[in-house]
Amino acid sequence: MMFFDRALLALGNILFLAGIYLIIGPAKTYVFFSKPTKRRGSVLFLFGIFLILVKWTFIGFVIELLGIMGLFGDFFGIIVQFLRSLPVIGPILSHPAVSPIVDKLAGIRTLPV
């Protein structure tokens, strides 16, 4: 029930942006969000925040998720490779039946054998 609370989502967005700003610095934050390849993700993310602030929380959250996918979609392959190195999840993600599905979802390209 509290998942779509407008105040909590707004606070989470502010803390998320502040965290990125503090981790990579102001110049790199500006460059990251204004890259031509990331512009659509940035616009969707900011529009989602706006919709949350004007009480359209569910629609704003969905649009914000699309923006996050556009901004951070390049990292999914790296995350999957890291998860494959973990003891419990690694063998599951590396299983021959699961691996092609996970690779396709994460956008990992494999060379044909």
Side-chain angles (χ1 to χ4, degrees), residues 6 9-11 13-14 48-57:
R6 183 170 57 102
L9 284 172
L11 182 64
N13 291 330
I14 291 169
I49 291 174
F50 172 75
L51 287 177
I52 288 171
L53 293 176
V54 295
K55 299 183 181 180
W56 287 63
T57 54

Side-chain angles (χ1 to χ4, degrees), residues 4-112:
F4 292 111
D5 183 41
R6 183 170 57 102
L8 290 177
L9 284 172
L11 182 64
N13 291 330
I14 291 169
L15 291 175
F16 175 74
L17 292 174
I20 290 176
Y21 180 83
L22 291 173
I23 289 172
I24 64 175
K28 288 184 180 180
T29 301
Y30 175 76
V31 168
F32 177 76
F33 282 102
S34 64
K35 282 183 185 177
T37 58
K38 306 279 186 183
R39 244 181 234 146
R40 183 173 52 177
S42 299
V43 169
L44 286 173
F45 182 72
L46 293 174
F47 185 63
I49 291 174
F50 172 75
L51 287 177
I52 288 171
L53 293 176
V54 295
K55 299 183 181 180
W56 287 63
T57 54
F58 183 73
I59 295 171
F61 183 74
V62 170
I63 291 175
E64 197 174 307
L65 279 178
L66 292 173
I68 287 174
M69 295 288 285
L71 286 170
F72 300 104
D74 302 342
F75 298 119
F76 290 143
I78 297 168
I79 293 168
V80 167
Q81 294 301 333
F82 169 73
L83 289 175
R84 285 186 174 148
S85 69
L86 295 177
V88 176
I89 287 187
I92 295 170
L93 293 178
S94 297
H95 190 273
V98 178
S99 182
I101 298 167
V102 173
D103 289 346
K104 185 169 183 157
L105 289 174
I108 299 173
R109 296 184 182 186
T110 56
L111 297 173

